[in-house]
Amino acid sequence: MALRVGVVGGGQLARMMIAPAVELGVELRVLAEEPGMAASLAATAVGDYRDADTVLAFARDVDVLTFDHEHVPQDVLSALVDAGVAVRPGPEALRHAQDKIVMRTRLAQLGMPQPDWAAVSSPDGLQDFLDAHGGRAVVKTPRGGYDGKGVRVVGAATEADDWFAALAEDARGGALLVEELVDFSRELAQQVARRPSGQMRAYPVVETVQRGGVCAEVIAPAPHASERCMELAAQIGVTIAQGLDVTGMLAVELFETTDERILVNELAMRPHNSGHWSQDGAVTGQFEQHLRAVLDLPLGDPSPHAPWSVMVNILGGPAEDSLDDRFAAAMTEHPSAKVHTYGKAPRPGRKVGHVNVSGDDLDDVAYEARAAASFFGD
Amino acid sequence: MALRVGVVGGGQLARMMIAPAVELGVELRVLAEEPGMAASLAATAVGDYRDADTVLAFARDVDVLTFDHEHVPQDVLSALVDAGVAVRPGPEALRHAQDKIVMRTRLAQLGMPQPDWAAVSSPDGLQDFLDAHGGRAVVKTPRGGYDGKGVRVVGAATEADDWFAALAEDARGGALLVEELVDFSRELAQQVARRPSGQMRAYPVVETVQRGGVCAEVIAPAPHASERCMELAAQIGVTIAQGLDVTGMLAVELFETTDERILVNELAMRPHNSGHWSQDGAVTGQFEQHLRAVLDLPLGDPSPHAPWSVMVNILGGPAEDSLDDRFAAAMTEHPSAKVHTYGKAPRPGRKVGHVNVSGDDLDDVAYEARAAASFFGD
């Protein structure tokens, strides 16, 4: 009898679990938000992940429940655990991905290097932080932000007035997170897989290139990374995975500073855009590794099988342009490019796929990946 | 709108098209022989592929129809073509995979190197062939044989009496194929992908190791193959793909003789066991390449991304043994092994999965692949 994994959320991360599930002989079931989503091939249910009864009914027949995103509310997660469902990652771990103040507090306890930060519940508190940090800082809403949403660089406390007003309306109350504006030279990401029984495997640290607050490109491994940087990043990933009891894939987004420090920026407790390169560039891709980890199966080898891999996201152009039309042209010019599509209607700025290229020479690999992806760009 | 590929047959070859279909954004539809088959995730219909109405109804909404096997009868194929369905490979090409005498006749016309052969319709004819070839030969039923079935080494014409008797009963009449017993040093296989518009890509020639008439192991590329051997094999593959107007993947099974000749043994016009290594060991795996070829999309790079890949088939043990139980043990000991399962109930001698390993050192790679597969063996 095949093991059954339920995935809450029908987006591209769930979609990309389908291929390794077929290979491993795992039966994948997906609770999609609506019909026709990226993971619709495996969608066995459609419903609202914020409704406990819906998720409980979906989870009844699965061996393990995991996620396409971290937005399932804590009361729903608790109801699942109470009903005996194996929820991976569990509610306690997910709290750190759902609330950035909870995350910062816990990382401080673990001694993880991070930007200076504070939880501020009033413009006065924010102004104090600004005054102490050169007049500029990053303000974040603790909950609900992703891909640059809920993040704002401010030079005066008044620039967050609307968010403070929203806080006052929010029954959960709370505070905004303010962080030091880090003088970083580049952004890195460290992925670690962890099983409930404790086994962990770290992927090589990668460089992520953001444009407009959205991940545009990933280079694996991070070029010119020193031995010390690689070890430190892996150590940070392993410490957080263990310290927060993460199961499945963990991604730690990092800043590398001009003075050679590494600081934790964000966490994601699921397969992550920074790990898409591993689908074609590593012995065990992150989607297979996530399934193995949440099922508590032995983890696979995360080693790259080429010196360099580059992943370039495809952001959807105008809706009248079909992805298919550009596909043949990209395939003709770039036979070594691995194009992954998400089955999503193109829309400006929307991630609708990505391209992976691996090889011996970084310049060649990056050129091929960018050129292939450019066929699809806006 | 996604391109739609219909696959007749719900076995493991159809199953292994699912992963690349998801990546390419192709909608895969499968006509399975019965519920619960290997490709059931993509099965949109269940029915008899020998029934023209069933296949026509299935093919109505697809852009291209292709196959998990070569057994769809010619009258059904003709009805599809008459109805305007894009059938790839087409009926004319498939005739050569369905009838070994038709295949031998055509290969002779193309000047392809092959064993001495004859179509014999009586024991006397067979005895003449035996007398001219040292008293021993291989007799094959022209239709319906695979994996060693319908193949018999004989030392006397009487040893094929039952097959001649069956011929006499068969309304289609015809003859048996008799072939010289080739003194081969090893078996090779050459794969070529071909698009309807003519583009072709040859994979490196591989060595196949058979046990009990069934493929047990594949080494890619074939060890110690000379430049001349590799070029000749690729040339044979390309000539046959073109000469027989094959579309999709073609596999040419070859004998390498002790006197360094290469002779064509069998053909398969679909993804083939000899190409499973390419799923994890080549830039473009054969299942992705087959989809690209039948859709007339530009073909991908067939280059290996490691010096060596070894594929070892998993033959199912006694039915009471579950594949899952052995999975964790294999994964623990062999984290670099890629295990592919077919979702089939284990049965002695039945192919239920395979293991791929790639790397720099052939001895290490072969050891890992065999050791990982041995967890699943009978």
Side-chain angles (χ1 to χ4, degrees):
Chain A
M1 174 99 130
L3 292 166
R4 277 176 299 207
V5 174
V7 185
V8 178
Q12 66 258 30
L13 301 181
R15 177 189 180 94
M16 291 187 274
M17 293 178 204
I18 296 173
V22 169
E23 288 170 6
L24 295 175
V26 167
E27 186 183 330
L28 201 70
R29 298 187 173 195
V30 172
L31 174 62
E33 291 82 345
E34 52 190 74
M37 289 189 67
S40 58
L41 176 62
T44 49
V46 170
D48 186 347
Y49 61 81
R50 295 164 301 188
D51 180 66
D53 289 341
T54 299
V55 185
L56 276 166
F58 170 72
R60 196 161 293 138
D61 297 323
V62 303
D63 294 297
V64 166
L65 193 76
T66 189
F67 307 95
D68 173 76
H69 57 71
E70 295 113 335
H71 308 320
V72 177
Q74 283 287 326
D75 59 337
V76 175
L77 297 172
S78 300
L80 289 163
V81 171
D82 291 348
V85 177
V87 178
R88 292 171 186 167
E92 260 311 300
L94 280 169
R95 280 180 64 231
H96 301 88
Q98 293 177 335
D99 188 314
K100 295 187 207 298
I101 293 176
V102 172
M103 185 264 284
R104 286 286 178 222
T105 307
R106 180 72 183 123
L107 292 189
Q109 289 168 351
L110 289 171
M112 293 291 94
Q114 34 181 358
D116 277 352
W117 64 278
V120 290
S121 48
S122 71
D124 284 352
L126 175 54
Q127 193 58 53
D128 288 348
F129 189 92
L130 284 169
D131 293 344
H133 291 85
R136 281 165 63 81
V138 184
V139 182
K140 298 179 177 177
T141 56
R143 290 181 289 262
Y146 65 97
D147 271 358
K149 295 180 186 69
V151 176
R152 194 181 286 172
V153 175
V154 302
T158 51
E159 292 174 46
D161 276 349
D162 54 336
W163 284 354
F164 281 117
L167 271 188
E169 302 284 305
D170 190 336
R172 292 175 298 183
L176 296 179
L177 174 65
V178 56
E179 294 176 355
E180 160 196 13
L181 196 63
V182 174
D183 185 19
F184 61 86
S185 49
R186 61 176 176 172
E187 294 185 68
L188 305 174
Q190 173 66 51
Q191 287 194 299
V192 172
R194 183 169 175 273
R195 294 168 61 185
S197 56
Q199 189 196 12
M200 289 187 278
R201 290 278 185 147
Y203 282 80
V205 67
V206 302
E207 178 174 342
T208 65
V209 180
Q210 320 284 322
R211 286 190 202 104
V214 177
C215 174
E217 192 173 307
V218 172
I219 306 169
H224 312 295
S226 65
E227 198 74 27
R228 186 192 143 276
C229 164
M230 289 187 288
E231 280 170 19
L232 184 58
Q235 192 52 48
I236 289 170
V238 159
T239 304
I240 295 175
Q242 201 156 33
L244 273 54
D245 194 19
V246 179
T247 47
M249 288 299 301
L250 166 71
V252 184
E253 297 181 35
L254 300 161
F255 295 125
E256 189 174 38
T257 66
T258 48
D259 54 348
E260 295 203 326
R261 290 177 303 146
I262 290 179
L263 305 174
V264 177
N265 180 19
E266 305 267 2
L267 303 183
M269 296 183 191
R270 49 172 171 75
H272 188 253
N273 202 164
S274 64
H276 289 355
W277 69 274
S278 65
Q279 291 177 298
D280 300 299
V283 174
T284 309
Q286 67 164 343
F287 296 97
E288 175 177 346
Q289 198 75 296
H290 186 73
L291 291 176
R292 291 165 79 142
V294 299
L295 282 165
D296 206 14
L297 286 169
L299 300 176
D301 181 356
S303 305
H305 55 55
W308 297 106
S309 293
V310 171
M311 188 280 325
V312 178
N313 278 327
I314 299 171
L315 300 183
E320 62 264 34
D321 265 300
S322 159
L323 209 57
D324 292 337
D325 297 339
R326 305 174 177 200
F327 216 165
M331 287 173 146
T332 302
E333 299 295 322
H334 304 286
S336 70
K338 306 304 295 177
V339 181
H340 297 257
T341 64
Y342 304 160
K344 292 157 80 173
R347 208 162 58 201
R350 187 185 209 194
K351 288 181 195 167
V352 295
H354 66 272
V355 173
N356 286 331
V357 177
S358 298
D360 294 332
D361 183 273
L362 177 54
D363 284 345
D364 291 348
V365 167
Y367 171 79
E368 286 292 320
R370 288 168 197 157
S374 74
F375 278 93
F376 302 99
D378 333 26
Chain B
M1 174 99 130
L3 292 167
R4 277 174 300 207
V5 174
V7 186
V8 178
Q12 65 259 30
L13 301 181
R15 177 190 180 93
M16 290 187 275
M17 293 178 204
I18 296 173
V22 169
E23 288 169 7
L24 296 175
V26 167
E27 185 183 330
L28 202 71
R29 298 185 173 196
V30 172
L31 175 63
E33 291 82 346
E34 51 190 74
M37 288 190 66
S40 57
L41 175 62
T44 49
V46 170
D48 186 347
Y49 61 80
R50 295 164 300 189
D51 179 66
D53 290 340
T54 300
V55 184
L56 276 166
F58 170 72
R60 195 159 297 137
D61 298 322
V62 303
D63 294 297
V64 166
L65 193 76
T66 189
F67 307 95
D68 174 77
H69 57 71
E70 295 112 336
H71 308 319
V72 177
Q74 282 288 325
D75 60 338
V76 175
L77 296 172
S78 301
L80 289 163
V81 171
D82 291 346
V85 177
V87 178
R88 293 172 186 165
E92 261 311 299
L94 280 170
R95 280 180 65 231
H96 302 88
Q98 292 176 336
D99 188 313
K100 296 186 207 300
I101 293 175
V102 172
M103 185 264 285
R104 285 288 178 222
T105 306
R106 180 74 184 121
L107 293 190
Q109 289 168 352
L110 289 171
M112 292 291 96
Q114 34 182 357
D116 277 353
W117 65 277
V120 291
S121 48
S122 71
D124 283 353
L126 175 54
Q127 193 59 54
D128 289 346
F129 189 92
L130 285 169
D131 293 344
H133 291 85
R136 280 164 64 81
V138 184
V139 181
K140 298 179 177 179
T141 57
R143 291 182 288 262
Y146 66 96
D147 273 358
K149 295 180 186 69
V151 176
R152 194 181 287 170
V153 176
V154 302
T158 50
E159 293 175 46
D161 275 351
D162 53 336
W163 284 354
F164 282 117
L167 272 189
E169 302 285 304
D170 190 337
R172 292 173 299 184
L176 297 179
L177 175 65
V178 57
E179 295 176 356
E180 160 195 15
L181 196 62
V182 174
D183 185 18
F184 61 86
S185 49
R186 60 175 177 172
E187 293 186 68
L188 305 174
Q190 174 66 51
Q191 286 194 299
V192 172
R194 183 169 175 274
R195 293 169 61 184
S197 56
Q199 189 197 14
M200 289 187 278
R201 289 278 184 146
Y203 282 79
V205 67
V206 301
E207 178 174 344
T208 64
V209 180
Q210 321 282 323
R211 286 191 203 102
V214 177
C215 175
E217 191 174 308
V218 172
I219 306 170
H224 313 294
S226 64
E227 199 75 25
R228 185 192 144 275
C229 164
M230 289 186 290
E231 279 169 20
L232 184 57
Q235 192 51 50
I236 289 171
V238 159
T239 304
I240 294 175
Q242 201 156 34
L244 273 54
D245 194 19
V246 179
T247 48
M249 288 298 303
L250 166 73
V252 184
E253 297 181 36
L254 300 161
F255 294 124
E256 189 175 38
T257 67
T258 48
D259 55 347
E260 294 202 325
R261 290 177 304 146
I262 290 179
L263 304 174
V264 177
N265 181 19
E266 305 268 1
L267 303 183
M269 295 182 193
R270 48 172 169 77
H272 187 253
N273 202 163
S274 64
H276 290 355
W277 69 274
S278 65
Q279 292 176 295
D280 300 299
V283 174
T284 309
Q286 67 164 341
F287 296 97
E288 175 177 345
Q289 198 76 296
H290 186 73
L291 292 177
R292 291 165 79 143
V294 299
L295 283 165
D296 206 13
L297 286 169
L299 300 177
D301 180 357
S303 305
H305 55 55
W308 298 105
S309 292
V310 172
M311 187 282 322
V312 178
N313 278 327
I314 298 171
L315 299 182
E320 63 265 34
D321 265 301
S322 159
L323 209 57
D324 292 337
D325 297 340
R326 306 175 177 198
F327 215 166
M331 287 174 149
T332 302
E333 299 295 322
H334 304 286
S336 69
K338 307 303 298 177
V339 181
H340 297 256
T341 64
Y342 304 160
K344 292 158 79 172
R347 208 163 57 202
R350 187 184 209 195
K351 289 180 195 168
V352 295
H354 66 272
V355 173
N356 286 331
V357 177
S358 298
D360 294 331
D361 182 274
L362 178 54
D363 284 346
D364 291 348
V365 166
Y367 171 79
E368 286 292 319
R370 288 168 196 156
S374 74
F375 277 93
F376 302 98
D378 330 30

PDB file of all heavy atoms in Angstrom, chain A residues 213-234:
ATOM      1  N   GLY A 213      11.989  42.953  -5.138  1.00  0.00           N
ATOM      2  CA  GLY A 213      11.524  42.213  -3.971  1.00  0.00           C
ATOM      3  C   GLY A 213      11.156  40.768  -4.272  1.00  0.00           C
ATOM      4  O   GLY A 213      10.691  40.031  -3.417  1.00  0.00           O
ATOM      5  N   VAL A 214      11.373  40.326  -5.517  1.00  0.00           N
ATOM      6  CA  VAL A 214      11.028  38.960  -5.913  1.00  0.00           C
ATOM      7  C   VAL A 214      12.301  38.255  -6.367  1.00  0.00           C
ATOM      8  O   VAL A 214      13.153  38.853  -7.037  1.00  0.00           O
ATOM      9  CB  VAL A 214      10.003  38.978  -7.074  1.00  0.00           C
ATOM     10  CG1 VAL A 214       9.682  37.574  -7.548  1.00  0.00           C
ATOM     11  CG2 VAL A 214       8.733  39.696  -6.647  1.00  0.00           C
ATOM     12  N   CYS A 215      12.437  36.987  -5.999  1.00  0.00           N
ATOM     13  CA  CYS A 215      13.605  36.211  -6.413  1.00  0.00           C
ATOM     14  C   CYS A 215      13.628  36.108  -7.944  1.00  0.00           C
ATOM     15  O   CYS A 215      12.657  35.667  -8.560  1.00  0.00           O
ATOM     16  CB  CYS A 215      13.548  34.820  -5.797  1.00  0.00           C
ATOM     17  SG  CYS A 215      14.848  33.718  -6.361  1.00  0.00           S
ATOM     18  N   ALA A 216      14.725  36.541  -8.539  1.00  0.00           N
ATOM     19  CA  ALA A 216      14.832  36.507  -9.996  1.00  0.00           C
ATOM     20  C   ALA A 216      15.717  35.359 -10.462  1.00  0.00           C
ATOM     21  O   ALA A 216      15.459  34.735 -11.488  1.00  0.00           O
ATOM     22  CB  ALA A 216      15.406  37.828 -10.513  1.00  0.00           C
ATOM     23  N   GLU A 217      16.742  35.063  -9.666  1.00  0.00           N
ATOM     24  CA  GLU A 217      17.785  34.156 -10.142  1.00  0.00           C
ATOM     25  C   GLU A 217      18.489  33.528  -8.945  1.00  0.00           C
ATOM     26  O   GLU A 217      18.645  34.176  -7.910  1.00  0.00           O
ATOM     27  CB  GLU A 217      18.780  35.013 -10.941  1.00  0.00           C
ATOM     28  CG  GLU A 217      19.775  34.265 -11.744  1.00  0.00           C
ATOM     29  CD  GLU A 217      20.596  35.218 -12.632  1.00  0.00           C
ATOM     30  OE1 GLU A 217      19.981  36.012 -13.385  1.00  0.00           O
ATOM     31  OE2 GLU A 217      21.816  35.148 -12.544  1.00  0.00           O
ATOM     32  N   VAL A 218      18.920  32.287  -9.099  1.00  0.00           N
ATOM     33  CA  VAL A 218      19.671  31.603  -8.042  1.00  0.00           C
ATOM     34  C   VAL A 218      20.892  30.949  -8.671  1.00  0.00           C
ATOM     35  O   VAL A 218      20.785  30.320  -9.733  1.00  0.00           O
ATOM     36  CB  VAL A 218      18.805  30.538  -7.331  1.00  0.00           C
ATOM     37  CG1 VAL A 218      19.634  29.694  -6.372  1.00  0.00           C
ATOM     38  CG2 VAL A 218      17.638  31.202  -6.594  1.00  0.00           C
ATOM     39  N   ILE A 219      22.053  31.114  -8.021  1.00  0.00           N
ATOM     40  CA  ILE A 219      23.288  30.481  -8.481  1.00  0.00           C
ATOM     41  C   ILE A 219      23.734  29.492  -7.414  1.00  0.00           C
ATOM     42  O   ILE A 219      23.896  29.857  -6.245  1.00  0.00           O
ATOM     43  CB  ILE A 219      24.399  31.524  -8.711  1.00  0.00           C
ATOM     44  CG1 ILE A 219      23.907  32.623  -9.659  1.00  0.00           C
ATOM     45  CG2 ILE A 219      25.662  30.854  -9.262  1.00  0.00           C
ATOM     46  CD1 ILE A 219      24.846  33.822  -9.735  1.00  0.00           C
ATOM     47  N   ALA A 220      23.900  28.227  -7.809  1.00  0.00           N
ATOM     48  CA  ALA A 220      24.270  27.174  -6.858  1.00  0.00           C
ATOM     49  C   ALA A 220      25.551  26.492  -7.310  1.00  0.00           C
ATOM     50  O   ALA A 220      25.615  26.059  -8.450  1.00  0.00           O
ATOM     51  CB  ALA A 220      23.145  26.144  -6.751  1.00  0.00           C
ATOM     52  N   PRO A 221      26.527  26.363  -6.416  1.00  0.00           N
ATOM     53  CA  PRO A 221      26.590  27.017  -5.103  1.00  0.00           C
ATOM     54  C   PRO A 221      26.907  28.497  -5.251  1.00  0.00           C
ATOM     55  O   PRO A 221      27.200  28.953  -6.345  1.00  0.00           O
ATOM     56  CB  PRO A 221      27.741  26.268  -4.419  1.00  0.00           C
ATOM     57  CG  PRO A 221      28.607  25.771  -5.527  1.00  0.00           C
ATOM     58  CD  PRO A 221      27.708  25.542  -6.693  1.00  0.00           C
ATOM     59  N   ALA A 222      26.852  29.243  -4.129  1.00  0.00           N
ATOM     60  CA  ALA A 222      27.127  30.682  -4.169  1.00  0.00           C
ATOM     61  C   ALA A 222      28.549  30.907  -4.650  1.00  0.00           C
ATOM     62  O   ALA A 222      29.500  30.353  -4.074  1.00  0.00           O
ATOM     63  CB  ALA A 222      26.941  31.283  -2.776  1.00  0.00           C
ATOM     64  N   PRO A 223      28.746  31.686  -5.731  1.00  0.00           N
ATOM     65  CA  PRO A 223      30.097  31.890  -6.261  1.00  0.00           C
ATOM     66  C   PRO A 223      31.025  32.542  -5.230  1.00  0.00           C
ATOM     67  O   PRO A 223      30.572  33.362  -4.432  1.00  0.00           O
ATOM     68  CB  PRO A 223      29.876  32.834  -7.452  1.00  0.00           C
ATOM     69  CG  PRO A 223      28.445  32.685  -7.806  1.00  0.00           C
ATOM     70  CD  PRO A 223      27.724  32.379  -6.529  1.00  0.00           C
ATOM     71  N   HIS A 224      32.288  32.154  -5.277  1.00  0.00           N
ATOM     72  CA  HIS A 224      33.323  32.750  -4.422  1.00  0.00           C
ATOM     73  C   HIS A 224      32.998  32.643  -2.943  1.00  0.00           C
ATOM     74  O   HIS A 224      33.484  33.451  -2.156  1.00  0.00           O
ATOM     75  CB  HIS A 224      33.539  34.232  -4.771  1.00  0.00           C
ATOM     76  CG  HIS A 224      33.691  34.487  -6.235  1.00  0.00           C
ATOM     77  ND1 HIS A 224      34.758  33.997  -6.956  1.00  0.00           N
ATOM     78  CD2 HIS A 224      32.905  35.142  -7.126  1.00  0.00           C
ATOM     79  CE1 HIS A 224      34.620  34.370  -8.218  1.00  0.00           C
ATOM     80  NE2 HIS A 224      33.494  35.051  -8.348  1.00  0.00           N
ATOM     81  N   ALA A 225      32.152  31.718  -2.557  1.00  0.00           N
ATOM     82  CA  ALA A 225      31.866  31.573  -1.126  1.00  0.00           C
ATOM     83  C   ALA A 225      33.073  30.912  -0.468  1.00  0.00           C
ATOM     84  O   ALA A 225      33.574  29.899  -0.957  1.00  0.00           O
ATOM     85  CB  ALA A 225      30.605  30.740  -0.908  1.00  0.00           C
ATOM     86  N   SER A 226      33.528  31.514   0.624  1.00  0.00           N
ATOM     87  CA  SER A 226      34.670  30.933   1.336  1.00  0.00           C
ATOM     88  C   SER A 226      34.219  29.676   2.067  1.00  0.00           C
ATOM     89  O   SER A 226      33.024  29.492   2.357  1.00  0.00           O
ATOM     90  CB  SER A 226      35.234  31.940   2.339  1.00  0.00           C
ATOM     91  OG  SER A 226      34.258  32.199   3.329  1.00  0.00           O
ATOM     92  N   GLU A 227      35.160  28.824   2.374  1.00  0.00           N
ATOM     93  CA  GLU A 227      34.903  27.620   3.169  1.00  0.00           C
ATOM     94  C   GLU A 227      34.164  28.000   4.460  1.00  0.00           C
ATOM     95  O   GLU A 227      33.169  27.384   4.832  1.00  0.00           O
ATOM     96  CB  GLU A 227      36.253  26.972   3.513  1.00  0.00           C
ATOM     97  CG  GLU A 227      36.185  25.533   3.959  1.00  0.00           C
ATOM     98  CD  GLU A 227      35.904  24.589   2.785  1.00  0.00           C
ATOM     99  OE1 GLU A 227      36.256  24.935   1.624  1.00  0.00           O
ATOM    100  OE2 GLU A 227      35.322  23.529   3.049  1.00  0.00           O
ATOM    101  N   ARG A 228      34.626  29.092   5.074  1.00  0.00           N
ATOM    102  CA  ARG A 228      34.042  29.554   6.332  1.00  0.00           C
ATOM    103  C   ARG A 228      32.581  29.973   6.137  1.00  0.00           C
ATOM    104  O   ARG A 228      31.707  29.626   6.933  1.00  0.00           O
ATOM    105  CB  ARG A 228      34.857  30.763   6.833  1.00  0.00           C
ATOM    106  CG  ARG A 228      34.440  31.252   8.210  1.00  0.00           C
ATOM    107  CD  ARG A 228      35.067  32.603   8.541  1.00  0.00           C
ATOM    108  NE  ARG A 228      34.130  33.430   9.284  1.00  0.00           N
ATOM    109  CZ  ARG A 228      33.178  34.188   8.738  1.00  0.00           C
ATOM    110  NH1 ARG A 228      33.018  34.224   7.425  1.00  0.00           N
ATOM    111  NH2 ARG A 228      32.364  34.894   9.510  1.00  0.00           N
ATOM    112  N   CYS A 229      32.331  30.686   5.063  1.00  0.00           N
ATOM    113  CA  CYS A 229      30.965  31.130   4.775  1.00  0.00           C
ATOM    114  C   CYS A 229      30.044  29.927   4.569  1.00  0.00           C
ATOM    115  O   CYS A 229      28.937  29.878   5.106  1.00  0.00           O
ATOM    116  CB  CYS A 229      30.985  32.021   3.534  1.00  0.00           C
ATOM    117  SG  CYS A 229      29.354  32.278   2.785  1.00  0.00           S
ATOM    118  N   MET A 230      30.519  28.952   3.800  1.00  0.00           N
ATOM    119  CA  MET A 230      29.691  27.771   3.522  1.00  0.00           C
ATOM    120  C   MET A 230      29.389  26.989   4.789  1.00  0.00           C
ATOM    121  O   MET A 230      28.261  26.561   5.023  1.00  0.00           O
ATOM    122  CB  MET A 230      30.379  26.882   2.486  1.00  0.00           C
ATOM    123  CG  MET A 230      30.381  27.505   1.087  1.00  0.00           C
ATOM    124  SD  MET A 230      31.021  26.385  -0.180  1.00  0.00           S
ATOM    125  CE  MET A 230      32.771  26.378   0.234  1.00  0.00           C
ATOM    126  N   GLU A 231      30.420  26.833   5.618  1.00  0.00           N
ATOM    127  CA  GLU A 231      30.221  26.083   6.862  1.00  0.00           C
ATOM    128  C   GLU A 231      29.297  26.827   7.815  1.00  0.00           C
ATOM    129  O   GLU A 231      28.441  26.228   8.464  1.00  0.00           O
ATOM    130  CB  GLU A 231      31.567  25.813   7.545  1.00  0.00           C
ATOM    131  CG  GLU A 231      32.305  24.646   6.932  1.00  0.00           C
ATOM    132  CD  GLU A 231      33.731  24.542   7.437  1.00  0.00           C
ATOM    133  OE1 GLU A 231      34.046  25.131   8.503  1.00  0.00           O
ATOM    134  OE2 GLU A 231      34.546  23.885   6.753  1.00  0.00           O
ATOM    135  N   LEU A 232      29.494  28.152   7.879  1.00  0.00           N
ATOM    136  CA  LEU A 232      28.660  28.958   8.772  1.00  0.00           C
ATOM    137  C   LEU A 232      27.195  28.901   8.337  1.00  0.00           C
ATOM    138  O   LEU A 232      26.291  28.721   9.158  1.00  0.00           O
ATOM    139  CB  LEU A 232      29.170  30.405   8.759  1.00  0.00           C
ATOM    140  CG  LEU A 232      28.472  31.388   9.702  1.00  0.00           C
ATOM    141  CD1 LEU A 232      28.562  30.918  11.148  1.00  0.00           C
ATOM    142  CD2 LEU A 232      29.110  32.790   9.569  1.00  0.00           C
ATOM    143  N   ALA A 233      26.967  29.028   7.035  1.00  0.00           N
ATOM    144  CA  ALA A 233      25.587  28.995   6.531  1.00  0.00           C
ATOM    145  C   ALA A 233      24.944  27.642   6.840  1.00  0.00           C
ATOM    146  O   ALA A 233      23.794  27.578   7.303  1.00  0.00           O
ATOM    147  CB  ALA A 233      25.571  29.267   5.031  1.00  0.00           C
ATOM    148  N   ALA A 234      25.686  26.570   6.597  1.00  0.00           N
ATOM    149  CA  ALA A 234      25.142  25.237   6.887  1.00  0.00           C
ATOM    150  C   ALA A 234      24.856  25.094   8.374  1.00  0.00           C
ATOM    151  O   ALA A 234      23.819  24.543   8.771  1.00  0.00           O
ATOM    152  CB  ALA A 234      26.113  24.156   6.398  1.00  0.00           C
TER     153      ALA A 234
END
